[in-house]
Amino acid sequence: MASLREATLRKLRRFSELRGKPVAAGEFWDVVAITAADEKQELAYKQQLSEKLKKKELPLGVQYHVFPDPAGTKIGNGGSTLSSLQCLESLCGDKWNSLKVLLIHSGGYSQRLPNASALGKIFTALPLGEPIYQMLELKLAMYVDFPSNMRPGVLVTCADDIELYSVGGCEYIAFDQPGFTALAHPSSLAVGTTHGVFVLHSDSSLQHRDLEYRQCYRFLHKPTIENMHRFNAVHRQGSFGQQDLSGGDTASLPLHNEYVYTDSLFYMDHKSAKTLLDFYKSEGPLNCEIDAYGDFLQALGPGATAEYTRNTSHVTKEESQLLDMRQKIFHLLKGTPLNVVVLNNSRFYHIGTLQEYLLHFTSDSALKSELGLQSIAFSVSPSVPQCSSGTACVIHSIVDSGCCVAPGSVVEYSRLGPEVSIGENCIISSSVIAKTVVPAYSFLCSLSVKINGHLQYSTMVFGMQDNLKNSVKTLEDIKALQFFGVCFLSCLDIWNLKATEKLFSGNKMNLSLWTARIFPVCSSLSESVTASLGMLSAVRNHSPFNLSDFNLLSIQEMLVYKDVQDMLAYREHIFLEISSNKNQSDLEKS
C-alpha cells in the first residue's frame, strides 16, 4: 500500500529532524519510560540510553527513565504498569498529572529471541537508518504525531511490536477522551485468537474510512472464534469495499471473508491512571501476574462482565491471589469508557520470536517495503545473495569480501573474516568469526562476561528450532530436551559431560537449555565462538568434543555476568570502523 509507506516515511523523516535536538514544549513526550525485569536489566538499559543521548540519537530535553519491577514474584505487564505509575509519582510529585508519558514494556529475558536477551528487546537493531535504528527509535518515530494531539496521561505499548498506519493527509489520531483509548486494526479471526478483540457498538451509518472513532461495548482477550461470533465481534469484509487486509500479522483475507478488530497499544487519561495508582498503593506488593490488556481492558465498556476473572486458560501460573486481584480490578474499572480508534489502513507486526525476526528482515515481507528495511544496513559488506524466497540481511557489521552469507540469514554487530560461510536461516549476533562454515539453521550470539573481576567471553549456540523455554522437572526426563534436533542426553555423551544437578543453574525443578551449563567461557571473543561452534559441529558429526576442560555457563548465568560496558564498546569499535570506511569511499567518489 503506497499510502501506508508514504505515511511511515513521513513519520521517520519527522523523527529524524528531532533526533539530537532539544524539543519544544508539547511537541514530544514529557517522559519516555521503559520497564525492566530487575535492577540488573535496569542498569543495562540506563547505560544504553545514556550512550544514545551522548551520540544524539534521541530527541533531547525529554525525561528518559527505566523502571525495574520490584524484586520477588513476577507481576506481568499489568503489575509493571502499576509499579511504573508509582515510580512516576515519586519522581515527579504532583507534576505527573500534567505529563504526557510513553510507557514501553521491555521487562523479561526474551527467551524466544535470545539475541535481544542481553541488552533488551527495546534495543533490538533494525536494518534501517544511519546510525542504526533500534526498536526504541522506531517506536518514537511511529508515535511522533501522538503527543501534540493528546491530553496528559499514559500511553502503554510493548517493546516487540510495530504499528504502521495511514489516516489520510489532514487527519490525526487524538487521545483526548476520558477513560481508556485503544488502537484497533482489522485482522483475520485466526489472529484474533492470540490478541485482544473489540466488540464495537454497531453503527450502520458508518462509511469505512481510514480513521474512525468508535465506542467499545466490550473487550475479549484471546477469544475463541466461536466467542467472537457469539459476542458480535465479527465484521463482514463485503462492507469494506476493495480494502486489502493482507500483510502484517493479519492473514491475507479474500474479499468476501470475515475480520475482527484487534488491539495493539492503549492510552489512559490521567484520572484513570490515578485510580489505578491509588488502588496499587492500597493493595501493597503484588503476589500474582497481572496482564495490562487482559485484566485492565476486559473490565471496560458497558458490556463487560466479571466472567473473564475466572478464566485462567491464558495464565502462565495460576496463583490463588489472581482471582481475587482480577475481581478487585474489575470492580475498580467497571463503567470506565473504552474508546477505540479504528485504523482501517494499518498493520500490526510482532518481532518477538526468531521466526518472526527472520521472516520480516530477510523475506519479501510487507513490513520490509512499508518501512524501507535494507538488506545491508550501516555495514561494510559485499552485496548479499538473493533467491526467490528472500535475501540475507547484514546490520552494523563488517563482512569480508571473501565471506558468503546465505539468503534467509541475519548478521548483526559482527565481524566475519574471509572464508567464512554462513548457511541459510541463521542468526549471527555480536560474534567474531574466522575461516569456518556455520551450518544452516544455527543461532550464534556472543556475550562479554565479567567473572571475579576478569573480562571473558561466552557464546550461546543452538538450532533455530530448539525450544529454550521447554523444561523438565527431573534429570531422568532431560532426554526430552533437544539440542539442534538431537536428544540432549546424547549431546552430553559427545561433550563428555555428566547429567547431574550441577549441570543446571537456577531452579532445579526447571531444567532446560536455558539453564544448562554447556557454553564454554574463553579469554577472547573469537576463541569463544570457535569453542561453541566446535561443540555444535561435534553434535552434528557425532564426534567427541571435550567440554569438561572448560569453565561452563548457562544462558541464564551469562545474563547475570554480562558486561554491558564491554559489549557497547565492542559495538562502538565496529561503528567507528564502518564510519571511517564510509568517509573514505565518499572521498574516493568525489
Side-chain angles (χ1 to χ4, degrees):
M1 275 190 206
S3 60
L4 205 53
R5 178 157 166 69
E6 274 166 37
T8 302
L9 289 178
R10 183 192 63 76
K11 293 177 193 109
L12 288 168
R13 279 195 301 271
R14 172 85 185 100
F15 177 69
S16 187
E17 289 160 12
L18 296 176
R19 280 178 111 180
K21 300 189 187 81
V23 288
E27 84 169 327
F28 200 65
W29 304 98
D30 300 308
V31 175
V32 174
I34 301 169
T35 68
D38 50 37
E39 288 179 356
K40 185 107 184 130
Q41 201 170 56
E42 175 195 17
L43 189 65
Y45 289 6
K46 281 182 167 172
Q47 283 171 283
Q48 291 174 90
L49 279 173
S50 77
E51 283 286 315
K52 283 183 181 294
L53 288 165
K54 205 161 66 188
K55 290 165 81 173
K56 297 193 160 29
E57 291 175 10
L58 297 173
L60 308 178
V62 177
Q63 293 184 53
Y64 294 96
H65 293 297
V66 183
F67 296 146
D69 286 351
T73 318
K74 270 182 79 172
I75 55 174
N77 57 19
S80 295
T81 302
L82 298 176
S83 168
S84 297
L85 294 177
Q86 190 166 40
C87 295
L88 261 178
E89 189 188 50
S90 58
L91 274 168
C92 309
D94 285 344
K95 201 176 145 225
W96 86 282
N97 62 9
S98 63
L99 300 177
K100 297 173 184 180
V101 180
L102 175 62
L103 178 62
I104 305 171
H105 285 299
S106 190
Y109 278 103
S110 192
Q111 287 171 283
R112 297 185 305 159
L113 187 67
N115 50 319
S117 293
L119 297 175
K121 281 188 279 202
I122 194 63
F123 299 104
T124 303
L126 298 160
L128 180 73
E130 288 190 21
I132 285 298
Y133 272 49
Q134 293 178 327
M135 281 298 279
L136 176 59
E137 286 89 330
L138 184 63
K139 288 258 160 200
L140 295 176
M142 292 303 100
Y143 306 162
V144 74
D145 300 332
F146 291 171
S148 51
N149 303 303
M150 176 175 159
R151 287 192 175 159
V154 182
L155 190 85
V156 179
T157 186
C158 295
D160 57 5
D161 57 40
I162 298 170
E163 300 89 6
L164 304 182
Y165 61 91
S166 167
V167 292
C170 51
E171 292 198 276
Y172 54 83
I173 296 173
F175 296 97
D176 56 3
Q177 296 301 304
F180 286 68
T181 301
L183 299 191
H185 313 271
S187 303
S188 69
L189 273 57
V191 167
T193 61
T194 59
H195 282 257
V197 171
F198 300 99
V199 179
L200 301 176
H201 279 295
S202 60
D203 187 346
S204 54
S205 67
L206 262 177
Q207 282 293 303
H208 273 287
R209 298 192 316 275
D210 285 354
L211 173 68
E212 298 167 16
Y213 291 97
R214 306 279 294 272
Q215 285 291 310
C216 184
Y217 179 69
R218 72 183 293 169
F219 177 83
L220 311 171
H221 188 55
K222 299 183 179 178
T224 61
I225 289 177
E226 183 190 16
N227 278 343
M228 292 178 214
H229 281 287
R230 183 177 144 215
F231 293 115
N232 296 324
V234 180
H235 304 258
R236 301 285 307 173
Q237 186 137 359
S239 60
F240 226 100
Q242 294 299 304
Q243 180 76 25
D244 168 27
L245 282 178
S246 63
D249 282 356
T250 59
S252 181
L253 301 175
L255 279 176
H256 59 272
N257 219 322
E258 301 173 320
Y259 63 98
V260 289
Y261 285 113
T262 55
D263 63 347
S264 58
L265 57 84
F266 68 85
Y267 157 87
M268 50 185 166
D269 68 346
H270 179 72
K271 186 179 170 212
S272 303
K274 181 86 170 67
T275 301
L276 283 171
L277 173 60
D278 292 342
F279 169 75
Y280 181 59
K281 286 186 194 162
S282 70
E283 281 299 310
L286 296 172
N287 295 313
C288 59
E289 254 181 275
I290 299 174
D291 186 81
Y293 296 82
D295 293 326
F296 296 166
L297 300 190
Q298 277 190 111
L300 308 176
T305 69
E307 188 186 346
Y308 75 88
T309 60
R310 295 181 288 278
N311 174 12
T312 51
S313 60
H314 297 293
V315 176
T316 47
K317 210 162 75 192
E318 200 177 325
E319 292 97 344
S320 52
Q321 293 94 339
L322 179 65
L323 204 90
D324 182 43
M325 182 56 67
R326 279 184 165 177
Q327 290 185 335
K328 284 178 177 170
I329 292 171
F330 173 74
H331 291 296
L332 177 80
L333 295 177
K334 187 161 169 45
T336 307
L338 176 53
N339 311 287
V340 178
V341 180
V342 172
L343 297 172
N344 283 317
N345 187 4
S346 69
R347 298 263 200 268
F348 174 92
Y349 295 94
H350 189 255
I351 304 195
T353 69
L354 295 173
Q355 286 70 29
E356 289 167 340
Y357 179 88
L358 284 185
L359 168 75
H360 292 309
F361 290 3
T362 67
S363 74
D364 293 327
S365 84
L367 177 67
K368 201 170 177 182
S369 63
E370 287 153 5
L371 256 186
L373 300 181
Q374 300 151 310
S375 294
I376 300 175
F378 193 68
S379 294
V380 176
S381 171
S383 64
V384 293
Q386 295 196 323
C387 68
S388 57
S389 60
T391 173
C393 177
V394 180
I395 308 170
H396 194 119
S397 293
I398 296 171
V399 177
D400 189 274
S401 57
C403 166
C404 172
V405 182
S409 290
V410 176
V411 176
E412 60 161 13
Y413 299 116
S414 293
R415 288 175 186 272
L416 307 186
E419 296 176 58
V420 170
S421 174
I422 308 293
E424 60 191 28
N425 295 89
C426 291
I427 293 176
I428 309 295
S429 177
S430 309
S431 298
V432 173
I433 308 181
K435 288 191 180 176
T436 192
V437 174
V438 178
Y441 295 92
S442 299
F443 177 94
L444 195 73
C445 177
S446 306
L447 271 66
S448 312
V449 292
K450 200 165 249 177
I451 303 171
N452 299 327
H454 296 290
L455 178 62
Q456 295 174 290
Y457 301 88
S458 191
T459 297
M460 59 177 96
V461 63
F462 46 84
M464 291 292 288
Q465 308 296 330
D466 294 345
N467 182 351
L468 303 188
K469 291 181 97 162
N470 187 20
S471 68
V472 295
K473 289 186 164 57
T474 67
L475 288 170
E476 290 75 59
D477 292 332
I478 63 172
K479 56 181 177 292
L481 301 177
Q482 290 204 325
F483 175 88
F484 224 92
V486 175
C487 165
F488 191 54
L489 267 183
S490 310
C491 296
L492 295 181
D493 283 343
I494 289 167
W495 298 328
N496 192 24
L497 295 177
K498 299 275 181 286
T500 64
E501 285 211 339
K502 282 181 74 174
L503 183 70
F504 293 90
S505 62
N507 179 355
K508 303 302 181 198
M509 291 292 287
N510 192 2
L511 313 176
S512 65
L513 287 188
W514 187 261
T515 60
R517 292 185 170 118
I518 54 174
F519 300 108
V521 179
C522 300
S523 56
S524 80
L525 185 51
S526 56
E527 280 174 340
S528 118
V529 171
T530 302
S532 291
L533 285 174
M535 63 182 272
L536 172 59
S537 174
V539 166
R540 296 187 74 244
N541 299 319
H542 294 280
S543 56
F545 184 87
N546 194 352
L547 276 183
S548 58
D549 295 345
F550 290 93
N551 179 19
L552 301 172
L553 292 178
S554 65
I555 301 175
Q556 185 184 53
E557 287 172 320
M558 284 186 208
L559 299 177
V560 171
Y561 295 125
K562 69 184 175 195
D563 186 325
V564 174
Q565 210 62 52
D566 190 67
M567 286 190 271
L568 294 180
Y570 159 81
R571 289 183 178 187
E572 180 65 9
H573 283 305
I574 295 180
F575 175 87
L576 293 171
E577 203 171 316
I578 294 168
S579 300
S580 93
N581 185 287
K582 283 190 178 298
N583 293 340
Q584 188 61 39
S585 63
D586 288 348
L587 280 173
E588 285 165 10
K589 280 176 197 163
S590 62

